[in-house]
Amino acid sequence: MATTVPATQPSVSAQELIDRASRLVPLLRSNIDRTEQLGNPTPENLAALREAGLFRLTTPVAHGGLHPSMRNQVEIIAEVGRGCASTGWIVANHAASTEFTLILDDEATEEIFGDNPDAILLSAGTGPGARAEKVPGGLKVNARLPYASGCEISDWALCIAIPLYDGDRQIGAANALVALDDIVITRTWNVAGMRGTGTHAMTLTDVFVPDRRTLVVEKDDTDRLEELLSPSELVKGNLHSLSALVGAARGALDVAGDALAKGKPIVYSTYRRAADSPAIQRAFTEATHLVDTAYLHMLHVADEFDRLLPGDELPRVARARARMHSASALSSAREGMQQILHVAGTGGFADTNPIQAYWRDLEVGSRHNHLSLPLIVEDYGRALLAVGPTVTAFH
């Protein structure tokens, strides 16, 4: 993919990156319908993100990486999601995935970013039947990854926790960074929301991955593989994703507020301007407060990560608490969205109104398995009471 920003760009302040993302909101919002039709962010969206440097949040510094704080990262991604949730989701997945490259050697990072410092990465978990085997110089991988956001527009795929076998015996697991040219994509993503994320299935058949692009852990206890992806890093990656969804709620609030400011009426009522109605005033106030509450929960979790020293892990209760705040962010965003829909009325569900797209995206995206409120509540309770976890990846 072509790049528009030099690899060695001057230092950019976090506020400038946030401002750049904010300036993209009108473009991204205007392209929501086309993004859904394409099943991926439009070429204009991707070009604008590259121009703004927003594919370099966690890229290695030698290749133009900017590395703002986690708080600033989620603020940036939330602004992208405020324009288009699907586009924000791609930026989030990329930022979380690219952090894997920070542990690779110079040969590998040069291969990934040398000719394309804005290379797009995704990460996805493998489905049943996946296996990796050691071969001279690397791994041979066979796997199906059923949900791979951005697979049609990405350059590299981080395949997570591929079971490692020696014959019929599992001896560990591996992460492997694979070029998309080596992967077969099956278009399987047909859902009500997040339509522009292109979360299709990927298949790898006898794909060779050199050692320089793998992380292998050999151990008997394959339920505990923190060496592949630490529990804290997994929570951090999920925070990237939810920030795009919190941004979607803010986007819907923008649109509803603009309609009220332009004198939107309430049909079959005595109000020529909906903004004069106490009921609408209350609904819009509650929506604003709930969306702000979601944002504050999101920032709280980001601040927890910014306080961590490099290489440190959040203790189990702290991780569970962080996930609970993340879930609360999404719950508040969804409650706020319901009030926004009351303000928008039936017109908010028109195909031409971005509110219905934001609503669908938030409803679908917030059901992601790692953002699922019921299990997060259960896991938090278990952590507080020192009972075994519900999800092995987070213990």
Side-chain angles (χ1 to χ4, degrees):
M1 295 183 180
T3 61
T4 56
V5 184
T8 54
Q9 57 181 336
S11 178
V12 182
S13 73
Q15 188 57 56
E16 172 58 23
L17 290 171
I18 295 168
D19 291 344
R20 289 179 186 181
S22 297
R23 290 194 290 268
L24 293 183
V25 168
L27 169 70
L28 302 178
R29 185 175 293 154
S30 70
N31 282 334
I32 286 177
D33 186 54
R34 188 158 168 248
T35 289
E36 291 201 330
Q37 291 173 9
L38 292 173
N40 293 295
T42 66
E44 294 88 348
N45 287 7
L46 297 174
L49 292 167
R50 290 192 193 96
E51 183 68 33
L54 301 188
F55 282 128
R56 301 196 186 181
L57 300 183
T58 57
T59 301
V61 172
H63 295 280
L66 300 169
H67 296 272
S69 68
M70 192 63 189
R71 169 181 271 250
N72 294 146
Q73 287 183 44
V74 299
E75 289 176 313
I76 291 162
I77 295 168
E79 283 301 286
V80 179
R82 186 174 145 229
C84 171
S86 288
T87 303
W89 188 270
I90 296 301
V91 174
N93 194 5
H94 168 76
S97 304
T98 305
E99 288 203 340
F100 176 76
T101 66
L102 302 179
I103 68 170
L104 302 180
D105 63 24
D106 291 344
E107 182 183 5
T109 56
E110 180 64 25
E111 179 183 16
I112 297 161
F113 299 110
D115 293 330
N116 185 8
D118 294 303
I120 302 176
L121 277 67
L122 68 85
S123 55
T126 56
R131 64 181 288 134
E133 303 168 58
K134 286 190 171 183
V135 296
L139 298 176
K140 181 175 73 172
V141 178
N142 286 276
R144 185 175 188 273
L145 298 90
Y147 302 105
S149 294
C151 57
E152 292 183 312
I153 59 168
S154 295
D155 301 284
W156 299 88
L158 176 59
C159 305
I160 298 173
I162 310 162
L164 179 67
Y165 282 89
D166 180 5
D168 294 331
R169 184 171 67 93
Q170 185 176 351
I171 60 172
N175 291 344
L177 189 61
V178 184
L180 261 294
D181 291 344
D182 295 328
I183 295 173
V184 175
I185 296 169
T186 306
R187 291 181 63 88
T188 54
W189 188 242
N190 299 294
V191 290
M194 304 303 285
R195 291 178 177 175
T197 62
T199 308
H200 303 299
M202 304 190 307
T203 303
L204 287 71
T205 304
D206 291 338
V207 173
F208 172 74
V209 186
D211 286 331
R212 63 180 177 275
R213 289 195 264 112
T214 69
L215 175 62
V216 175
V217 174
E218 294 187 49
K219 61 191 300 185
D220 293 332
D221 183 4
T222 54
D223 284 336
R224 295 185 63 89
L225 291 163
E226 289 89 344
E227 299 93 335
L228 282 174
L229 185 65
S230 79
S232 293
E233 285 298 312
L234 189 54
V235 176
K236 187 178 176 183
N238 295 333
L239 177 62
H240 282 107
S241 297
L242 82 85
S243 61
L245 302 174
V246 172
R250 275 199 160 179
L253 190 65
D254 287 345
V255 176
D258 288 345
L260 292 177
K262 292 175 182 176
K264 165 184 158 61
I266 305 178
V267 297
Y268 304 118
S269 80
T270 58
Y271 291 106
R272 294 182 180 275
R273 287 175 8 106
D276 294 331
S277 162
I280 295 298
Q281 292 168 6
R282 176 170 180 171
F284 189 74
T285 300
E286 290 182 355
T288 301
H289 176 66
L290 285 163
V291 174
D292 284 349
T293 299
Y295 206 80
L296 291 172
H297 279 292
M298 176 188 76
L299 293 179
H300 173 78
V301 182
D303 289 342
E304 287 290 300
F305 285 107
D306 282 334
R307 282 191 284 269
L308 272 183
L309 294 175
D312 282 357
E313 277 283 333
L314 285 173
R316 183 188 168 199
V317 172
R319 287 197 303 272
R321 184 185 299 117
R323 295 183 72 213
M324 191 70 207
H325 277 286
S326 295
S328 294
L330 290 180
S331 292
S332 294
R334 293 212 316 245
E335 289 180 47
M337 185 69 79
Q338 292 305 309
Q339 295 300 324
I340 292 167
L341 294 173
H342 289 322
V343 171
T346 307
F349 295 93
D351 287 342
T352 55
N353 194 321
I355 288 177
Q356 52 80 28
Y358 289 125
W359 167 63
R360 288 186 288 104
D361 290 342
L362 178 57
E363 289 296 322
V364 171
S366 62
R367 265 68 180 194
H368 187 284
N369 192 46
H370 285 164
L371 302 174
S372 172
L373 179 62
L375 280 179
I376 287 174
V377 173
E378 181 180 338
D379 192 58
Y380 188 30
R382 284 172 171 264
L384 291 171
L385 298 171
V387 179
T390 52
V391 184
T392 56
F394 292 106
H395 67 152

